């Protein structure tokens, strides 16, 4: 789980005092997630998700809040931050950057065609919302990989097999991504664990931390990589069809998007592999997760032999 930050009881009380949510009763870690410290907070007035934003800087967080406000205007099914007494969504009163959300009942779904159809419909709805061009480009892709490769040139990671592989893959895939394809508002990280379901009924799409303005096909490729594989990282083609059929019914893919889908599925896997390698080998070394980037390499390899 992601837990990079601990709160003392005094720090928790200080944070809670800035919200009209009663007083703390219980404070529990929440497993899952990679980039934040997440906790379930029970107070005298209810139950909440307390998220300590360990990774994003203030500029990035303000863009994230602007995105959530934009989604709220279009009634998108996600969870929205609770405002402090002063009306701000971001709590900076302690030593941390904190956002507080309602705690929604539900769970990460087991993948099925019905589940993937709802995810596909929700993704298409997101892509039909007017974009926010002031958002950054896809934050786990080329814009981050290119400087990363320069940064590690004179470090012990320069000769790491993954870094060598990443550099080689970037050389061939970069021209494949340089196409005039539809752009717009992206979730950027739509894995199954970023959705919430009540049984087989969608409750919300979660975690817009990687929300961005870029090629829509990145999101479709990412959702395939994140939602359409077995726990053994084998592609489930029926799930891919469930996702794409529902998406296409709501926002029809262009001929060019169909023609370039393979490249963007591969790109999504490469981007997540890069993020995991950097996160768990360099930024926050974690022996238990250091090799999880291999999962994405396996998924990308299993995709290559599939033709829809």
């Amino acid at each position: 789980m992601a837990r990079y930050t601990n709160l003392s009881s005094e720090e928790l009380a200080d944070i809670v005092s800035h919200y009209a949510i009663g007083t703390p009763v219980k404070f529990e870690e929440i497993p899952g997630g990679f980039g934040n410290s997440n906790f379930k907070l029970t107070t005298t007035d209810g139950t909440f998700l307390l998220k300590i934003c360990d990774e994003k800087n203030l500029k990035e967080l303000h863009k994230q809040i602007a995105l959530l406000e934009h989604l709220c205007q279009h009634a998108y099914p996600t969870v929205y931050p609770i405002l402090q007494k002063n009306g701000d969504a971001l709590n900076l009163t302690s030593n941390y950057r904190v956002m507080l959300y309602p705690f929604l009942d539900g769970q990460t779904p087991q993948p099925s065609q019905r589940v993937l159809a709802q995810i596909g419909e929700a993704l298409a709805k997101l892509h039909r919302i007017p974009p926010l061009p002031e958002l950054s480009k896809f934050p786990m892709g080329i814009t981050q990989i290119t400087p990363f490769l320069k940064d590690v040139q004179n470090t012990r990671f320069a000769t790491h097999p993954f870094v060598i592989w990443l550099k080689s893959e970037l050389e061939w895939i970069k021209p494949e991504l340089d196409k005039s394809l539809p752009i717009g508002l992206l979730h950027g990280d739509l894995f199954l664990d970023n959705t919430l379901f009540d049984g087989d009924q969608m409750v919300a799409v979660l975690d817009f931390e990687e929300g961005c303005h870029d090629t829509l096909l990145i999101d479709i490729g990412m959702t395939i990589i994140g939602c359409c594989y077995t726990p053994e990282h084998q592609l489930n083609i029926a799930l891919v069809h469930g996702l794409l059929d529902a998406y296409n019914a709501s926002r029809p893919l262009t001929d060019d998007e169909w023609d370039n889908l393979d490249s963007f599925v591969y790109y999504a896997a490469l981007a997540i592999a890069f993020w995991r390698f950097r996160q768990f080998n360099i930024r926050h070394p974690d022996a238990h997760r250091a090799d999880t980037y291999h999962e994405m390499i396996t998924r990308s390899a299993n995709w290559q032999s599939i033709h829809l």
Side-chain angles (χ1 to χ4, degrees):
M1 64 169 288
R3 184 183 177 185
Y4 306 128
T5 302
N6 293 298
L7 287 180
S8 68
S9 57
E10 292 78 14
E11 289 170 328
L12 176 62
D14 174 56
I15 291 169
V16 171
S17 70
H18 292 270
Y19 297 88
I21 60 169
T23 57
V25 174
K26 194 173 184 181
F27 193 56
E28 308 164 81
E29 301 175 4
I30 297 178
F34 286 137
N36 300 291
S37 303
N38 299 312
F39 301 90
K40 182 179 181 181
L41 169 65
T42 304
T43 75
T44 51
D45 286 358
T47 306
F48 307 91
L49 169 65
L50 191 152
K51 181 172 294 188
I52 301 175
C53 307
D54 294 293
E55 300 253 314
K56 301 296 184 183
N57 60 39
L58 283 179
K59 183 179 179 180
E60 292 169 330
L61 289 170
H62 285 306
K63 284 186 177 182
Q64 180 184 327
I65 291 167
L67 171 56
L68 290 171
E69 291 172 346
H70 184 62
L71 294 177
C72 186
Q73 293 172 5
H74 293 273
Y76 192 74
T78 188
V79 59
Y80 297 100
I82 296 170
L83 301 182
Q84 300 176 87
K85 295 173 184 176
N86 64 5
D88 292 338
L90 184 62
N91 182 294
L92 299 171
T93 52
S94 190
N95 295 320
Y96 313 105
R97 301 178 295 276
V98 174
M99 295 178 70
L100 191 71
Y101 297 87
F103 192 90
L104 300 182
D105 290 326
Q107 57 191 1
T108 299
Q110 293 298 313
S112 68
Q113 286 184 274
R114 174 172 168 78
V115 164
L116 267 296
Q118 292 177 76
I119 292 174
E121 183 178 355
L123 187 63
K125 179 176 181 178
L126 176 67
H127 290 174
R128 297 197 315 270
I129 293 174
L132 290 175
E134 63 268 27
L135 292 177
S136 303
K137 293 177 72 68
F138 177 51
M140 291 185 286
I142 289 173
T143 57
Q144 292 289 316
I145 296 173
T146 300
F148 166 79
L149 291 173
K150 292 180 179 179
D151 290 343
V152 299
Q153 281 180 352
N154 297 316
T155 74
R156 64 186 179 88
F157 292 103
T159 57
H160 192 286
F162 175 75
V163 172
I164 295 172
W165 175 87
L166 182 63
K167 184 176 181 180
S168 173
E169 296 303 293
L170 194 64
E171 288 177 357
W172 77 259
I173 201 169
K174 192 172 182 179
E176 298 296 317
L177 307 176
D178 189 19
K179 306 288 178 66
S180 296
L181 297 170
I183 61 174
L185 185 59
L186 275 64
H187 179 280
D189 189 26
L190 192 46
F191 275 53
L192 279 174
D193 58 6
N194 279 336
T195 69
L196 191 68
F197 277 71
D198 182 3
D200 62 357
Q201 186 63 44
M202 176 177 278
V203 176
V205 175
L206 306 174
D207 293 338
F208 275 85
E209 280 88 351
E210 310 303 331
C212 55
H213 181 255
D214 213 321
T215 305
L216 297 179
L217 210 51
I218 295 173
D219 243 5
I220 299 169
M222 183 67 70
T223 307
I224 290 172
I225 283 294
C227 300
C228 297
Y229 284 75
T230 69
E232 294 75 35
H233 310 296
Q234 299 300 310
L235 182 67
N236 185 325
I237 194 65
L239 298 183
V240 178
H241 282 297
L243 169 73
L244 293 178
D245 288 349
Y247 182 97
N248 199 54
S250 184
R251 183 204 159 251
L253 291 164
T254 68
D255 289 344
D256 283 344
E257 285 178 310
W258 283 115
D259 290 343
N260 288 279
L261 178 60
D262 284 353
S263 294
F264 280 83
V265 172
Y266 193 87
Y267 179 47
L270 183 150
I272 295 297
F274 151 70
W275 190 92
R276 289 184 178 182
F277 179 85
R278 183 183 64 176
Q279 187 76 356
F280 301 125
N281 290 275
I282 299 175
R283 288 187 167 179
H284 299 281
D286 183 337
H288 297 292
R289 288 179 166 180
D291 293 332
T292 56
Y293 65 90
H294 284 295
E295 298 171 357
M296 297 298 105
I297 297 174
T298 300
R299 291 192 181 196
S300 67
N302 288 337
W303 171 263
Q304 289 176 309
S305 61
I306 299 297
H307 300 282
L308 297 176

